[in-house]
Amino acid sequence: MPELPEVETVRRGLVSLVKGYKIVGAHDLHPRALKPESIAPLKSIQGAKIIDLNRRGKFLWFVLDRPQVLVAHLGMSGQFLIHQQGHPRAKHVRAQFDLTKQMRKRELVFNDQRTFGWVSVEETNDGVPSSAQHIARDPFDSHFDLQETIEKFAKRKIRIKTALLNQEIMSGVGNIYADETLWRAKVHPEVSTADLSKKKIALIISYATEVMSEAIEQGGTSFDDLYINVNGESGFFEQALAAYGCTDEPCPRCGTPIRRITFGARSSHFCPRCQKKYR
């Protein structure tokens, strides 16, 4: 599932390609494309101009020259793509947006093979769409409060991996970057937040920010063609992964084989030597 670096890569691509364009056509082409809670059909945003693209955690939205915004969640395989002449067309188009800017025309599509992603027309509160109101700020948000976030982690008595995945504590981190963060911090995924000092929690947040920054620079992580950027290109951070998906491979730090465990219906990858549960 795309995490913050992948969604941010898509956001940046959309800014460069569709900002300033007018939506002259908006079509939902699949019954699951439009979120049921959408306050209006997609065609309601026809005539709107795209002012900017914003993001909170894994939620992305088009800022329009009207009170409503167009929100998108990529789900497991959602993609925004610009159809280009001479290139194969996307095979799983769920929504289409016809765009114009002066004499230029572009066709933006929301492609989603597994149909867990969605788009939605929503109102905002303090600039944030209705569906993202419960989502905490991420470390790249200009109003991110580090001390407040440390307190949120410290007050919980849950596994640190579970806490990192909780989007109401700090958003943006999913399974891939949680494993990479904890490997860098030398913390076992099953360690309780109650057993971590605030200094250690701050270090974990710092590593999460670091690993996601590096992933953004590499265009995100692509294991298959389910995640690609707006130009149809894959990300390259997979090549830098130290723990996630590296079962039985040597730890880059000490050489011990990486282990994989499962809890909470998710897999976790860690080094049993560097990331001991009990010290």
Side-chain angles (χ1 to χ4, degrees), residues 6-7 13 37 48-49 67 94 106 109 114 169 173 195 211 234 256 278:
E6 290 75 48
V7 179
E37 290 80 9
K49 182 180 179 181
R94 308 308 182 195
R106 282 190 171 151
V109 298
R114 296 184 179 176
I169 299 176
V173 180
D195 295 329
V211 73
S234 298
T256 303
Y278 303 104

Side-chain angles (χ1 to χ4, degrees), residues 4-192:
L4 185 153
E6 290 75 48
V7 179
E8 176 61 16
T9 298
V10 171
R11 188 198 70 80
R12 293 182 182 187
L14 288 170
V15 167
S16 67
L17 292 171
V18 306
K19 182 177 178 179
Y21 276 74
K22 183 178 181 180
I23 302 171
V24 295
H27 319 278
D28 51 320
L29 307 175
H30 188 278
R32 289 173 61 179
L34 189 68
K35 189 180 182 183
E37 290 80 9
S38 178
I39 63 172
L42 278 188
K43 65 180 181 180
S44 68
I45 63 171
Q46 290 181 175
K49 182 180 179 181
I50 300 171
I51 303 299
D52 204 354
L53 277 294
N54 286 344
R55 177 191 56 73
R56 173 165 289 189
K58 306 172 189 178
F59 286 76
L60 174 74
W61 63 91
F62 296 69
V63 180
L64 308 174
D65 62 346
R66 56 182 62 182
Q68 297 77 29
V69 295
L70 174 66
V71 186
H73 194 289
L74 302 182
M76 297 183 69
S77 59
Q79 306 166 342
F80 276 106
L81 300 169
I82 298 289
H83 274 161
Q84 304 177 44
Q85 290 186 347
H87 292 261
R89 297 180 68 82
K91 297 180 180 179
H92 306 283
V93 175
R94 308 308 182 195
Q96 177 179 317
F97 305 91
D98 305 316
L99 312 176
T100 64
K101 184 178 182 181
Q102 297 175 348
M103 298 298 291
R104 288 173 288 179
K105 295 182 179 181
R106 282 190 171 151
E107 185 180 290
L108 175 68
V109 298
F110 182 64
N111 193 64
D112 189 11
Q113 180 176 333
R114 296 184 179 176
T115 66
F116 288 107
W118 48 263
V119 292
S120 176
V121 179
E122 300 182 16
E123 296 178 335
T124 64
N125 183 8
D126 289 333
V128 179
S130 304
S131 58
Q133 286 290 322
H134 66 293
I135 300 297
R137 298 184 187 274
D138 61 67
F140 301 96
D141 191 305
S142 59
H143 296 289
F144 179 74
D145 190 323
L146 176 59
Q147 293 305 316
E148 179 184 7
T149 306
I150 291 171
E151 292 294 335
K152 286 182 180 180
F153 276 103
K155 288 178 181 178
R156 302 295 179 107
K157 294 183 179 180
I158 56 177
R159 293 161 172 163
I160 183 58
K161 173 71 177 285
T162 302
L164 280 172
L165 297 177
N166 188 327
Q167 303 298 294
E168 295 184 15
I169 299 176
M170 181 179 77
S171 66
V173 180
N175 216 31
I176 296 174
Y177 301 112
D179 281 359
E180 293 301 301
T181 294
L182 294 175
W183 180 84
R184 295 191 185 197
K186 298 182 180 180
V187 174
H188 192 285
E190 293 183 309
V191 168
S192 172

Side-chain angles (χ1 to χ4, degrees), residues 200-263:
K200 193 66 173 181
I201 293 171
L203 182 65
I204 290 170
I205 295 173
S206 175
Y207 278 125
T209 307
E210 177 184 272
V211 73
M212 290 192 292
S213 294
E214 293 174 11
I216 291 170
E217 291 176 4
Q218 295 293 322
T221 303
S222 299
F223 290 106
D224 49 37
D225 60 1
L226 293 184
Y227 164 68
I228 51 179
N229 66 21
V230 180
N231 291 317
E233 300 167 339
S234 298
F236 295 101
F237 193 68
E238 178 190 0
Q239 300 170 14
L241 294 175
Y244 182 86
C246 300
T247 307
D248 295 329
E249 295 180 19
C251 168
R253 192 162 43 214
C254 73
T256 303
I258 295 294
R259 281 192 58 200
R260 175 182 178 273
I261 58 174
T262 302
F263 65 85

